[in-house]
Amino acid sequence: MSSLTQGPPEALVTNPTSERQDTVRERKRRGSIRPTLAPWAFLAPAIVLFVLFLVIPIGYAIYLSFVGLRVDGGAFGKRTQVFVGFENYVSYLTNPEFIASFGRLALFGFIAVPLTLGLALLFALLLDLPGVKATRFARTAIFLPYAVPGVIATLLWGFMYLPTTSPFNYALNAIGLPDFDFLSSNSIYGSLANIAIWAAVGFNMIILYTALRSIPAEIYEAAKLDGAPEWRIAWHIKIPLLAPALLLTLLFSLIGTLQAYGEPMTLRTLSSSISYSFFPLMKIYRDAFGTDDVSGAAAASVVMALGTLLISILLLRVLQRRTFDNAR
Amino acid sequence: MTRKSFRIFATAGAAVAALALSSCSGSAADDGPVTLEYWTWAPAIPEVAEQWNAENPDIQVKVVEAAGADDIVAKLLAAQRAGEGPDIVAAEYQKLPNLVVSDAGLDISEYITDDLRDDFTDATWNLTTVGDGVYAVPQDTGPMVFLYRADLFEQYGLEVPTTWDEYAALAAQVREVAPDSYLGGYPDDTSTLAAYAQPLGAQWWSTDGDAWEVGIDDVETQRVADFWQPLVRDDVVDTTHFFTPEWNTMMNDGTLLSWTAGVWAPGTIESVAPDTAGKWRIAKMPSWDGETTAGLMGGSSAMVSKTSEHPEEAVKFLEWLNGGEGSILLAEGGLFPASIEGQESLSSLPVPAIVEGQDDFWTVAADIASDTAPVTWGPNVQVAFDAWSDSIKSVVASGGEFTDALTATQDATVADLKKTGFTVK
């Protein structure tokens, strides 16, 4: 997050040619090579960590995605690792269960993402209204669910969904209505999305609210002098100026949706509507650690990572240019 | 790159290499007492192993509760690929062929003494024999029993069913006399489905020379699927998956009147529905055509790991643990032992609290255990298990045919075998 809010790194801004000339000149003057070494020394720890914990694991995953365990013959032959080329990719991209899991994920995302952003925007705008009381308390209260660990939040909601322990069903029964099955195969998407929304609204609200607070007050004054009511100020001034922050939260929400795993995995023990391969990441986990198809899982992970990257780039390319050009 | 900066990179590279190497080094063999590491989830093992340790200073056993039955395979394979791993590991019977083709188990035939061989029936040894080798010592077993609420059966005037036809009629009767209750649930769990089909002679996996034959979608299992479909469609049986909090509640408050499961079921109910202690009884599971054999659900063995440096000592310990003396201790600890001597010792034990009052509990259980269907599991059981439980749930939700879920399971299992390189007939 911080890397997105900071300005571009110094190195990209400075003209590389002029810098090189500078250092060459400087080196001649001092007769030392130290200045060229110092940056490397400072970078070394980061590079080592980057290589150790990012480049090597990613490289290993890509390597794994091109090999597979194949039997060397016989009914009880031993499985050995062989190069299989793109076979893992082909079998995943044509696997109906893997494709269906993306369909379910999309359904979940269509409910969760707009509602999360909509509610976050609504809360941020309400908190930003002049004369609103107890903003600090309200802000903390809305943000608080984000601080609850995902598994705890899911269990908490899970017990509120379970017919026997659900306070909602208790309330429904009290007014003479029948039970509602929150965990049935149709309502499960709403129930899952509800947990995700509950946890994420506060975080997104804080980003949007912070962006709102940084808008100069003179703009509102001008609008007020022209007699604009608060909702017109919100619609015509605040929301357009919030576009970059909204884009950022949209990106976070989409990536978060693609990574949805904890909620369905935890609810799976409570509901029979959630299969082992309900969402893509669940299928990947199952293949890697349940059916011992690490290579297939690696291939699917690479597909997921490339997909996430593609969505991020497209979103930033298409939308960022428009919003940031307008903002300028 | 200058010389000095190269040195920085070289140092970093060496650090990486050192880290990588340190994680690979295995433990060297010691001369003194041998310590065996034993991964298991079974409850009684740590106490029983302590007794062994006290009596056998030369072979010490360190019990590690590494993971549950579902995760232990992945954990074992990961550890072995990293050059580590335990000496002995608990393996469910249905996971054993998978572990063998993954090259995780050791063929212990050469260490098995005649005494050890005589400790188990041939049918039990069959469960740990994979291809030409024996890869594990049997530990506990799970012949199917019909566990029912005796108090509620009496209250509603119900008779214990002896055939599945009677079961279906009884299930409908329960919905009439107690509309909020169910006789039991349908087999969305694959091991239950398998145990229902085994007495009919279903062979889900079998070998013919070097080729595998998959019979999940055979007439026997189709009959089981066709039996349950109308019961589910007419809301005569419950569709809550067992072990969910919802199911636990229903077992506790009397909504569910019976559960057909492995003989370990009373112990399970004791933890999920303790309030019902003393109200349950077991009977033989219903038969299809009057056959006497029971299916098997669950049960596990102790496998000697490929990476073990002391297989002989490991088998020696396992012979004591699962064969004679140890198996009696395991029985006292709550396991239903696989050994003949262990099962005979059961009659002297108090009956589990959940079936208190059924004095012939152990006799009934041992009688059922003495006649179980022969079972051969395949190398990709998990694929089939996941496929059935996933597809049957979607079939129930969409109102499709149960046998379609069976075909989907068969297809997924065959496709996975072929993909791995097996010949499938």
Side-chain angles (χ1 to χ4, degrees), chain B residues 117-129 138 340 374-375:
Chain B
R117 191 161 285 282
D118 291 340
D119 283 333
F120 305 93
T121 63
D122 287 347
T124 311
W125 276 117
N126 188 43
L127 289 166
T128 60
T129 307
I340 299 165
V375 183

Side-chain angles (χ1 to χ4, degrees), chain A residues 60-145:
Chain A
Y60 186 59
I62 294 174
Y63 159 75
L64 276 179
S65 71
F66 287 106
V67 298
L69 293 171
R70 297 293 181 265
V71 171
D72 58 4
F76 292 103
K78 301 283 184 287
R79 295 197 291 182
T80 46
Q81 199 162 291
V82 293
F83 180 78
V84 298
F86 282 95
E87 203 179 296
N88 289 322
Y89 289 93
V90 172
S91 81
Y92 257 92
L93 292 174
T94 56
N95 182 324
E97 196 43 48
F98 191 55
I99 293 163
S101 71
F102 277 102
R104 288 187 282 259
L105 187 68
L107 194 53
F108 163 79
F110 275 129
I111 307 174
V113 174
L115 274 174
T116 306
L117 295 190
L119 283 173
L121 179 63
L122 180 70
F123 286 137
L125 288 172
L126 287 176
L127 282 177
D128 194 48
L129 282 180
V132 167
K133 299 271 185 289
T135 45
R136 282 182 67 162
F137 169 77
R139 220 163 52 205
T140 316
I142 300 168
F143 182 73
L144 210 55

Side-chain angles (χ1 to χ4, degrees), chain A residues 50 72 80 110 124 165 291 318:
Chain A
F50 177 73
D72 58 4
T80 46
F110 275 129
T165 51
T291 52
V318 176

